[in-house]
């Protein structure tokens, strides 16, 4: 998070109208004949839709030739929606350039690392750094903003779509030029760059910025700092595009907030959203559940991090699916109840808008087998009935709109730079998955009934008693000092193997691992000892580690050993240590523990820090609880993490739910159900 946060802005609402949770979808009327549009609006009203994202992929229709525009159909759709009481998050339509543009200017097409052209025929086939593409895109943005500035349906702008979903890494000549400029401004001189990139290695020393290229396909392992900087640059290049569109919109329509849909836990990790969040008026995110053992907690984790990227303010769930997606090897339909559960989990973490991709399921094209609010089967379908029920539920939850999430006592740090660096070439193991490792800690806390805020690493840690920093690999000395100061003042830090190892240039902090955090932790590691797949290492508390181990020495008399290795050559050596420092403590975990095996450790460490679960013991592993509050009222979301009904009689408060199918029958919360209980805020603790 480099920039100060912009003030949060939300959708304008007519004076005197009550706050509400928004509900809707991407709407693609240009895929359908005119007569379908009336039915669309009627069904939207039936479902309680309040907003649609319009014209996301409509460039070729809006501008069929370089100097011919066709807005009449969009005028009509905007008018129809407005007449139906539905507001519009209008896309700038720049996500997929039309064929005439790529035919006239093939030089806007992205280039892969091996020099291969990414051809048109799908979407997002544009170079983030192409000046020609930028000119054409901004012309379209300007035309849309001028035409719809005063349209009463317009309440938000939707810049492009999922920037960088398919074109984050472009290795073209345009990218090379822009990369050189970016490097010049980062480093100032070629000598500084040579030092940062460690170019004394393998004769890579540059004499001038003009000699530098993106990390194109090379004979073997590329320069890791060049790769890391290219990732930073690529995130910045797309952020530059976002800013360029946003600046036009803010100039021409200053009353309309601007957003773009992030993919916080999406298929690419190329965009540093901690750095992007301050560029939009409100944060929006797209999230798709990938079915698997951790889908429930992964959804919560993503929503939680998005809420913190939004600085705790309400945010927009711009896309998720009503049922199956179309881009997995096997695309499973959602089970009964999952649609509501998934939506409400986002609301539990601060979303004030629940939207889907897309309104009406396409009958043709690449996404015809992707679910929608109105499926191929039409109105008479389980999905549409569930959609209507969800619309009712969101209406009943309207008082929640605009409320804030109550912060947790525990934070888990999330760091895109560490993720990028650990994904880089030639590391001690290829078995490491940053996101899964961080998620394991989150799951372990939920299993204990403990809530944590997933936070960008640059966040203020002062409000937290415990901070968990798994795999915090990139630790500049300034970050190490910040963590040490926070610990000295009473914070309890928990970190793991591979943390503190490198600085911002991906240079190893010399003298032993964990480098920049060595003194704070009071330990020293001379050599890594990664484990083979399937190989585990026993620990003397009865748990087992996998993936990683280390021969660890204590360097400070106050460092205590919490757990030792109990197998192989490391038998008897420390595995988990804790050092008190000032008023706080710093704990180090040198191996990978499953959520189940993290539990005893976390139970002990959080208890020592004075943090306990607010849930009754019987509910602790079954329920995820989050609280939204307006200071007077609390709304406690109870999310059933299990496939069994859970008795929630011990929880205070009255369920807020409109009509069947109720997730709460008597005081039993249905499998995977979500209950929202309303209580007086003054009775709550944090
Ligand atoms: C998103 C995208 C949508 C649609 C959706 C399908 O990545 O923004 O346009 O493709 O995925 O899951």
């Amino acid at each position: 998070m480099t920039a100060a946060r912009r003030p949060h802005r939300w959708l304008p609402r007519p004076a005197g109208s009550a706050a509400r949770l928004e509900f809707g979808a991407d709407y693609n009327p240009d895929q359908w004949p005119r007569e379908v549009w009336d039915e669309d609006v009627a069904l939207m009203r039936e479902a309680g839709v309040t907003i649609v994202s319009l014209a996301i992929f409509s460039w070729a229709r809006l501008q069929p030739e370089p100097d011919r525009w066709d807005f009449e159909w969009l005028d009509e759709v905007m008018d129809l929606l407005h007449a139906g009481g539905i507001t519009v998050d209008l896309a700038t339509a720049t996500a997929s350039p039309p064929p005439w543009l790529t035919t006239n200017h093939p030089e806007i097409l992205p280039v892969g690392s091996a020099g291969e052209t990414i051809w048109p025929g799908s979407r997002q086939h544009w170079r983030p750094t192409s000046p020609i593409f930028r000119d054409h895109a901004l012309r379209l943005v300007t035309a849309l903003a001028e035409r719809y500035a005063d349209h009463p349906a317009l309440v938000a702008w939707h810049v492009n779509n999922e920037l960088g979903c398919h074109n984050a890494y472009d290795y073209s000549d345009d990218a090379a030029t822009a990369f050189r400029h970016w490097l010049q401004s980062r480093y100032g001189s070629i000598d500084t760059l040579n030092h940062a990139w460690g170019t004394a290695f393998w004769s890579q020393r540059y004499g001038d910025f003009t000699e530098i290229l993106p990390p194109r396909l090379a004979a073997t392992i590329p320069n890791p700092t060049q790769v890391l900087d290219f990732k930073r640059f690529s995130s910045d290049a797309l952020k530059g595009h976002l800013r360029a569109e946003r600046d036009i919109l803010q100039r021409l329509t200053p009353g309309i907030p601007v957003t773009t849909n992030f993919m916080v836990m999406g298929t690419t990790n190329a965009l540093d959203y901690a750095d992007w969040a301050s560029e939009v008026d409100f944060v929006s995110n797209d999230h798709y559940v990938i079915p698997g053992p951790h889908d429930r907690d992964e959804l919560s984790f993503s929503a939680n991090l998005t809420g913190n990227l939004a600085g705790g303010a309400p945010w927009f769930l711009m896309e998720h699916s009503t049922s199956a997606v179309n881009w997995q090897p096997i695309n499973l339909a959602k089970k009964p109840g999952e649609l509501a559960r998934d939506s409400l989990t986002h609301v539990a973490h601060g979303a004030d808008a629940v939207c889907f991709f897309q309104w009406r399921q396409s009958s043709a094209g690449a996404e015809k087998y992707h679910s929608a609010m109105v499926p191929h089967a039409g109105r008479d379908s389980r999905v549409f009935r569930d959609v209507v029920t969800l619309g009712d539920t969101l209406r009943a939850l309207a008082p929640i709109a605009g409320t804030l999430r109550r912060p947790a006592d525990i934070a888990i740090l999330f760091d895109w730079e560490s993720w990028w660096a650990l994904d880089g070439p030639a590391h001690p193991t290829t078995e490491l998955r940053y996101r899964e490792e961080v998620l394991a800690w989150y799951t372990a806390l939920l299993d204990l009934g403990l809530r944590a805020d997933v936070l960008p690493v640059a966040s203020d840690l002062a409000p937290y008693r415990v901070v968990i920093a798994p795999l915090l690999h990139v630790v500049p000395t300034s970050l190490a000092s910040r963590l040490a100061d926070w610990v000295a003042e009473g914070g309890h830090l928990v970190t793991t193997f591979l943390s503190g190892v490198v600085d911002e240039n991906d240079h190893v902090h010399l003298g032993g691992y964990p480098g920049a955090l060595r003194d704070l932790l009071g330990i020293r590691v001379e050599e890594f000892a990664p484990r083979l797949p399937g190989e585990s290492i026993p620990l003397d508390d009865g748990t087992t580690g996998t993936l990683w181990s280390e021969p660890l020495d204590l360097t400070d008399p106050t460092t205590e050993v919490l757990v030792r290795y109990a197998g192989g050559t490391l038998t008897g050596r420390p595995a988990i240590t804790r050092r008190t420092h000032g008023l706080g403590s710093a704990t180090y975990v040198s191996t990978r523990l499953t959520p189940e095996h993290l539990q005893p450790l976390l139970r002990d460490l959080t208890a020592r820090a004075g943090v306990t679960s607010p849930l009754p013991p019987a509910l602790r592993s079954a329920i995820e609880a989050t609280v939204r509050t307006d200071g007077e009222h609390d709304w406690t979301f109870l999310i059933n993490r299990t496939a069994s009904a859970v008795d929630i009689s011990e929880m205070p408060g009255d369920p807020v739910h409109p009509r069947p199918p109720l997730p709460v029958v008597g005081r039993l919360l249905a499998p995977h159900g979500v209950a929202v209980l309303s209580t007086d805020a003054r009775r709550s603790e944090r």
Side-chain angles (χ1 to χ4, degrees):
M1 231 171 358
T2 51
R5 280 204 56 74
R6 299 162 74 88
H8 173 87
R9 293 173 63 209
W10 194 247
L11 315 182
R13 296 270 299 135
S17 63
R20 67 184 187 191
L21 298 177
E22 303 292 335
F23 183 43
D26 288 9
Y27 182 37
N28 297 302
D30 38 336
Q31 292 178 12
W32 296 95
R34 170 66 186 81
E35 58 272 20
V36 176
W37 301 354
D38 296 311
E39 190 196 45
D40 282 336
V41 174
L43 290 179
M44 284 178 194
R45 290 176 66 87
E46 183 179 343
V49 164
T50 63
I51 189 164
V52 292
S53 294
L54 188 60
I56 293 176
F57 295 106
S58 300
W59 192 344
R61 177 83 188 261
L62 290 167
Q63 192 183 8
E65 293 169 25
D67 289 311
R68 189 159 71 82
W69 300 90
D70 176 7
F71 288 117
E72 282 72 25
W73 68 275
L74 188 57
D75 297 346
E76 193 178 352
V77 176
M78 295 278 289
D79 292 348
L80 267 180
L81 289 165
H82 180 61
I86 293 152
T87 60
V88 173
D89 164 47
L90 187 57
T92 57
T94 54
S96 194
W100 60 257
L101 180 50
T102 51
T103 303
N104 294 350
H105 293 288
E107 68 274 29
I108 72 166
L109 295 171
V111 175
S113 66
E116 72 280 21
T117 299
I118 309 300
W119 294 100
S122 183
R123 64 175 177 185
Q124 235 178 44
H125 39 278
W126 52 276
R127 299 178 186 179
T129 56
S130 161
I132 296 172
F133 175 79
R134 180 75 58 89
D135 281 352
H136 281 85
L138 297 189
R139 206 171 148 223
L140 174 60
V141 175
T142 305
L144 281 162
E146 284 173 345
R147 188 164 189 102
Y148 296 106
D150 297 318
H151 197 287
L154 178 69
V155 294
W157 286 109
H158 181 110
V159 168
N160 201 277
N161 189 63
E162 289 192 343
L163 285 159
C165 183
H166 314 294
N167 63 347
Y169 299 125
D170 163 44
Y171 300 81
S172 66
D173 290 342
D174 280 337
T177 306
F179 188 37
R180 290 176 198 129
H181 286 135
W182 184 92
L183 291 167
Q184 228 152 355
S185 91
R186 181 175 174 88
Y187 293 112
S189 78
I190 200 70
D191 288 345
T192 313
L193 177 138
N194 276 314
H195 167 75
W197 285 18
T199 56
F201 188 81
W202 281 353
S203 178
Q204 291 173 353
R205 193 181 176 288
Y206 293 95
D208 190 87
F209 282 96
T210 54
E211 297 166 1
I212 296 175
L213 292 168
R216 291 176 177 161
L217 182 64
T220 180
I221 304 166
N223 180 308
T225 314
Q226 180 186 11
V227 172
L228 180 60
D229 270 348
F230 187 65
K231 290 183 178 179
R232 291 173 171 141
F233 154 77
S234 298
S235 178
D236 277 359
L238 281 156
K239 185 176 73 176
H241 186 87
L242 163 63
R243 282 178 165 171
E245 290 200 16
R246 180 205 63 196
D247 289 351
I248 290 176
L249 297 168
Q250 288 182 337
R251 182 165 52 77
L252 295 177
T253 59
I256 304 296
V258 179
T259 193
T260 190
N261 43 346
F262 294 175
M263 305 162 280
V264 165
M265 285 292 120
T267 46
T268 175
N269 70 356
L271 299 319
D272 179 353
Y273 291 125
D275 179 47
W276 283 40
S278 58
E279 303 291 341
V280 288
D281 288 321
F282 60 86
V283 164
S284 300
N285 194 44
D286 296 352
H287 183 267
Y288 289 92
V289 174
I290 303 195
H294 306 299
D295 56 3
R296 185 62 267 30
D297 295 337
E298 193 277 332
L299 167 58
S300 164
F301 182 89
S302 164
N304 189 320
L305 175 55
T306 307
N308 288 309
L309 290 169
W315 54 277
F316 222 97
L317 175 64
M318 191 61 86
E319 289 181 23
H320 68 319
S321 66
T322 56
S323 190
V325 298
N326 68 318
W327 38 262
Q328 287 285 300
I330 297 173
N331 295 293
L332 301 180
K334 287 192 180 176
K335 297 190 197 69
E338 287 185 352
L339 179 149
R341 172 201 76 176
D342 294 353
S343 297
L344 294 177
T345 302
H346 292 282
V347 179
H349 286 280
D352 267 9
V354 169
C355 296
F356 293 95
F357 175 82
Q358 61 176 325
W359 166 249
R360 187 180 280 278
Q361 187 169 10
S362 305
S363 63
E367 296 185 319
K368 60 182 175 294
Y369 296 120
H370 193 296
S371 61
M373 290 172 92
V374 182
H376 287 158
R379 178 178 177 279
D380 185 13
S381 59
R382 173 178 75 97
V383 166
F384 189 70
R385 281 189 291 277
D386 284 356
V387 160
V388 173
T389 304
L390 178 60
D392 281 349
T393 304
L394 294 175
R395 262 198 303 280
L397 294 177
I400 287 168
T403 61
L404 302 177
R405 293 185 310 161
R406 207 177 270 282
D409 290 314
I410 305 172
I412 297 183
L413 298 187
F414 197 87
D415 180 30
W416 269 270
E417 296 236 330
S418 291
W419 193 0
W420 291 343
L422 287 167
D423 272 1
H427 277 250
T429 176
T430 54
E431 295 293 304
L432 193 71
R433 302 287 175 271
Y434 177 79
R435 177 177 21 197
E436 281 73 2
E437 293 302 316
V438 185
L439 180 59
W441 288 86
Y442 188 71
T443 293
L445 289 169
L446 289 179
D447 288 342
L448 292 169
L450 291 167
R451 213 152 46 81
D453 287 344
V454 186
L455 287 188
V457 72
S459 309
D460 178 17
L461 304 182
Y464 295 93
R465 289 197 231 171
V466 177
V467 168
I468 300 174
L471 299 172
L472 187 61
H473 191 59
V474 178
V475 180
T477 43
S478 56
L479 174 56
S481 315
R482 192 160 70 83
L483 291 172
D485 291 347
W486 174 78
V487 170
E489 283 160 23
H492 297 278
L493 177 71
V494 184
T495 189
T496 71
F497 59 94
L498 280 171
S499 296
V501 173
V502 299
D503 66 11
E504 62 275 30
N505 294 325
D506 202 18
H507 291 197
V508 171
H509 289 287
L510 298 178
Y513 316 119
L517 300 176
R518 203 170 54 223
D519 292 344
L520 175 60
L521 293 159
I523 57 168
R524 180 167 177 271
V525 173
E526 286 181 28
E527 206 176 6
F528 299 136
R531 298 273 143 180
L532 294 170
E535 188 196 359
S536 60
I537 179 161
L539 304 174
D540 71 356
D541 66 348
T543 63
T544 42
T546 55
L547 183 84
W548 197 267
S549 59
E550 287 168 346
L552 189 158
D553 292 309
L554 310 185
T555 56
D556 189 283
T558 64
T559 312
E560 55 175 323
V561 179
L562 301 184
V563 179
R564 292 181 187 273
Y565 287 106
T569 55
L570 293 181
T571 299
R573 301 287 291 264
I576 303 177
T577 61
R578 180 176 186 270
R579 174 172 175 258
T580 48
H581 173 64
L583 301 173
S585 70
T587 297
Y588 184 74
V589 181
S590 68
T591 185
R592 176 181 204 276
L593 297 167
T594 61
E596 185 197 354
H597 287 171
L598 282 171
Q599 279 183 42
L601 174 70
L602 281 172
R603 193 180 290 116
D604 174 40
L605 293 175
T606 52
R608 290 196 205 204
V611 178
T612 51
S613 171
L615 294 171
L619 298 188
R620 288 194 182 156
S621 65
I623 296 286
E624 175 189 352
T626 69
V627 181
R628 292 189 61 169
T629 184
D630 65 4
E632 287 185 6
H633 279 93
D634 278 355
W635 288 269
T636 302
F637 285 71
L638 301 179
I639 304 165
N640 186 349
R641 300 169 71 221
T642 75
S644 316
V646 173
D647 184 349
I648 55 168
S649 342
E650 285 188 72
M651 295 300 297
D654 305 313
V656 190
H657 271 299
R659 68 171 211 194
L662 289 173
V664 188
V665 179
R667 293 299 262 177
L668 271 190
L669 179 57
H672 303 299
V674 180
V676 186
L677 305 180
S678 151
T679 50
D680 186 330
R682 286 158 299 184
R683 281 168 48 194
S684 311
E685 50 181 302
R686 183 168 158 154

